[in-house]
Amino acid sequence: MLEKLLKIKEYGNSITEFVEKVRRGVPTAVFGVPDPFKIFMASALDRPVLYVVKDGLSAELAKKEAEVLGRHAVYIPPKDEILLSAKAFSRESAYARIIAADEMRNADFIVATAETLMQTFPKNVRYVGIRTGEDRDLAQTAKELVALGYRRTDDAESKGTFALRGDVLDVFPINSELPYRADFFGDTVESVKKFDPDTRKSLGFCDGFYALQAQEFTFKEDDLGMFSSVIKNELKTAPTGSYQRLKIVADDIISAIEAGDISSLSALESLSVDCGSVFDMLPENTAIVVDEPKRAYDAAVLNEREFTERFATLRKEGEVFSFAERNFSGLESLKDDMARFPIAAVQTLSATVSFFNPLAVINPSVSAVTDYRLDMNVAYTDADNWLRGGYTVLFFAGDEKIGRA
């Protein structure tokens, strides 16, 4: 409804020109546009969009504005930790990235920071799906959940866990706010229902559910033997003075491999066949739009410097392996990846464009309006003048109370 009302591509020559330049693959810079108009222009593109911003706050705002304009938007947050084992860090942050990776299948407006784009990202997202009435081996299903990073517990009371008691399988998917209980009769799923994790009471039957992998990278049995070999070879080339500490780290990982504890293997993610970047998940016809390139570029420079210095320190101390350096691609690789797609920049001021050299420049006739929260009477006056001038007027309100005002 809203996108039909806006008729974005019919709003003047600047929008039409922008869409055409991007369609033809001409690197384009759009100068002199206020923040709301940036998303407006990016949403006019009739193709998937990767919208690059400077930080998480800008990303969340861009996602919301794109959704208002009718786009299916998803925000991919950066990792909290990319060098050390992620076992001791926030699981919720990791879950958010996995869910975002899964949502990318259907999204047409992807928002990310340059930091996210320089980090590793899974090329595939796996899941276990369970449906009422299907034939499924219960023991094998438990093994599949473990392979996806789910932890077996007594009651599956938190995300990323499961419990198995006789013919009853409880699973708390990372992509659900409630756990599920599957009752088996032999090798047949007899029923599936949601339940309250606190009271354990049933919340009703359902057709089934699917549980996304509970850690960013999963590993197959064939991988584990290779990992042990790589780690042992790493010890042979350990930096002077760091061997003893690296030997402890290596022994812990090898013990985890032998025990089948893949939650301890995040330090090995760059060795996974599924290890790639966000760019590997983008449709071929995606266009990249960079919001305030200078700010995004400066943030990326800082990210790269921090990673390089931290890796060197941890490597010297024997905390990480040499292949951990591949967990972060760096600025040059980022620019090469961006160059594979049609690209544009949107910025408030006319200035040098970072990341690429624009071959076309657009200066739309657009300006910011008054902050109507200070005096709503000004909004009424402006709306009356615009209507008299033949414009269609559409106000976006932060909540229902403001909208009714």
Side-chain angles (χ1 to χ4, degrees):
M1 172 62 185
L2 182 58
E3 55 266 37
K4 290 181 180 179
L5 178 62
L6 290 173
K7 298 179 182 177
I8 293 176
K9 286 178 286 187
E10 298 178 12
Y11 271 66
N13 292 332
S14 62
I15 297 290
T16 304
E17 182 182 4
F18 177 68
V19 171
E20 180 61 18
K21 294 291 187 187
V22 172
R23 186 191 66 79
R24 291 166 47 200
V26 179
T28 303
V30 183
F31 295 142
V33 289
D35 288 338
F37 198 72
K38 294 173 184 176
I39 302 295
F40 192 74
M41 293 197 75
S43 295
L45 298 172
D46 51 357
R47 60 176 62 210
V49 173
L50 171 62
Y51 197 79
V52 184
V53 294
K54 64 175 180 176
D55 55 32
L57 185 62
S58 302
E60 293 285 5
L61 181 59
K63 175 180 179 293
K64 291 179 180 178
E65 291 182 348
E67 288 172 339
V68 167
L69 293 172
R71 302 302 291 257
H72 182 173
V74 58
Y75 164 48
I76 306 173
K79 296 181 185 179
D80 291 335
E81 175 58 53
I82 59 175
L83 283 172
L84 299 176
S85 171
K87 191 171 184 178
F89 297 90
S90 169
R91 294 184 186 276
E92 290 300 323
S93 176
Y95 295 164
R97 282 174 58 86
I98 296 167
I99 293 170
D102 181 60
E103 290 180 350
M104 281 181 66
R105 303 171 193 269
N106 300 312
D108 63 2
F109 199 97
I110 298 146
V111 186
T113 63
E115 180 182 14
T116 294
L117 299 178
M118 291 187 288
Q119 295 177 349
T120 54
F121 197 72
K123 291 190 286 188
N124 294 291
V125 180
R126 296 183 170 85
Y127 65 91
V128 170
I130 298 178
R131 297 190 63 81
T132 301
E134 72 172 342
D135 291 331
R136 169 178 282 276
D137 184 272
L138 183 53
Q140 180 59 33
T141 301
K143 289 181 180 180
E144 291 175 11
L145 288 167
V146 170
L148 293 185
Y150 281 77
R151 295 169 290 118
R152 184 170 179 173
T153 62
D154 292 334
D155 47 23
E157 65 179 5
S158 61
K159 291 184 178 183
T161 63
F162 76 97
L164 183 58
R165 298 179 302 279
D167 291 333
V168 178
L169 174 66
D170 291 346
V171 182
F172 203 144
I174 69 164
N175 49 304
S176 173
E177 295 306 316
L178 292 170
Y180 292 83
R181 174 166 295 158
D183 288 291
F184 282 72
F185 183 76
D187 288 335
T188 301
V189 181
E190 193 172 37
S191 66
V192 177
K193 55 189 172 185
K194 294 181 180 180
F195 67 91
D196 188 302
D198 297 320
T199 65
R200 319 301 293 179
K201 291 183 178 180
S202 172
L203 297 176
F205 291 96
C206 59
D207 293 333
F209 67 93
Y210 72 101
L212 292 178
Q213 60 192 58
Q215 63 178 45
E216 194 156 316
F217 293 93
T218 59
F219 306 97
K220 300 177 182 178
E221 289 187 12
D222 294 342
D223 297 331
L224 302 184
M226 179 270 288
F227 292 163
S228 295
S229 176
V230 170
I231 290 171
K232 290 173 182 177
N233 287 332
E234 280 278 320
L235 289 175
K236 297 177 182 179
T237 59
T240 303
S242 66
Y243 176 84
Q244 292 301 324
R245 176 55 190 161
L246 194 62
K247 178 69 165 57
I248 294 173
V249 174
D251 288 344
D252 287 344
I253 291 178
I254 291 174
S255 295
I257 290 174
E258 293 173 348
D261 179 14
I262 68 170
S263 64
S264 299
L265 306 185
S266 58
L268 308 180
E269 62 185 37
S270 62
L271 301 179
S272 170
V273 295
D274 286 335
C275 183
S277 73
V278 170
F279 294 99
D280 294 316
M281 296 283 284
L282 298 177
E284 291 183 0
N285 65 331
T286 298
I288 298 175
V289 178
V290 187
D291 185 341
E292 299 295 338
K294 179 65 166 60
R295 295 177 185 174
Y297 190 87
D298 288 347
V301 169
L302 180 60
N303 296 145
E304 184 175 46
R305 183 184 304 126
E306 289 177 345
F307 175 84
T308 302
E309 293 175 354
R310 186 162 177 256
F311 171 77
T313 299
L314 292 174
R315 179 66 177 151
K316 184 177 180 180
E317 295 173 350
E319 295 289 343
V320 297
F321 302 103
S322 64
F323 51 75
E325 190 172 16
R326 303 204 296 265
N327 291 355
F328 192 86
S329 63
L331 263 173
E332 291 306 312
S333 292
L334 174 59
K335 288 191 283 187
D336 288 342
D337 284 329
M338 285 181 162
R340 292 159 40 197
F341 300 87
I343 190 167
V346 287
Q347 51 193 67
T348 304
L349 302 176
S350 299
T352 301
V353 176
S354 303
F355 292 114
F356 70 97
N357 294 317
L359 298 182
V361 173
I362 300 174
N363 293 282
S365 178
V366 61
S367 61
V369 296
T370 304
D371 187 343
Y372 295 128
R373 291 173 298 180
L374 302 177
D375 185 357
M376 285 300 297
N377 288 323
V378 177
Y380 304 143
T381 301
D382 284 349
D384 184 59
N385 291 332
W386 288 326
L387 290 169
R388 291 174 184 274
Y391 290 96
T392 297
V393 180
L394 182 64
F395 283 101
F396 291 97
D399 54 45
E400 184 178 355
K401 181 179 179 181
I402 295 177
R404 291 183 179 280

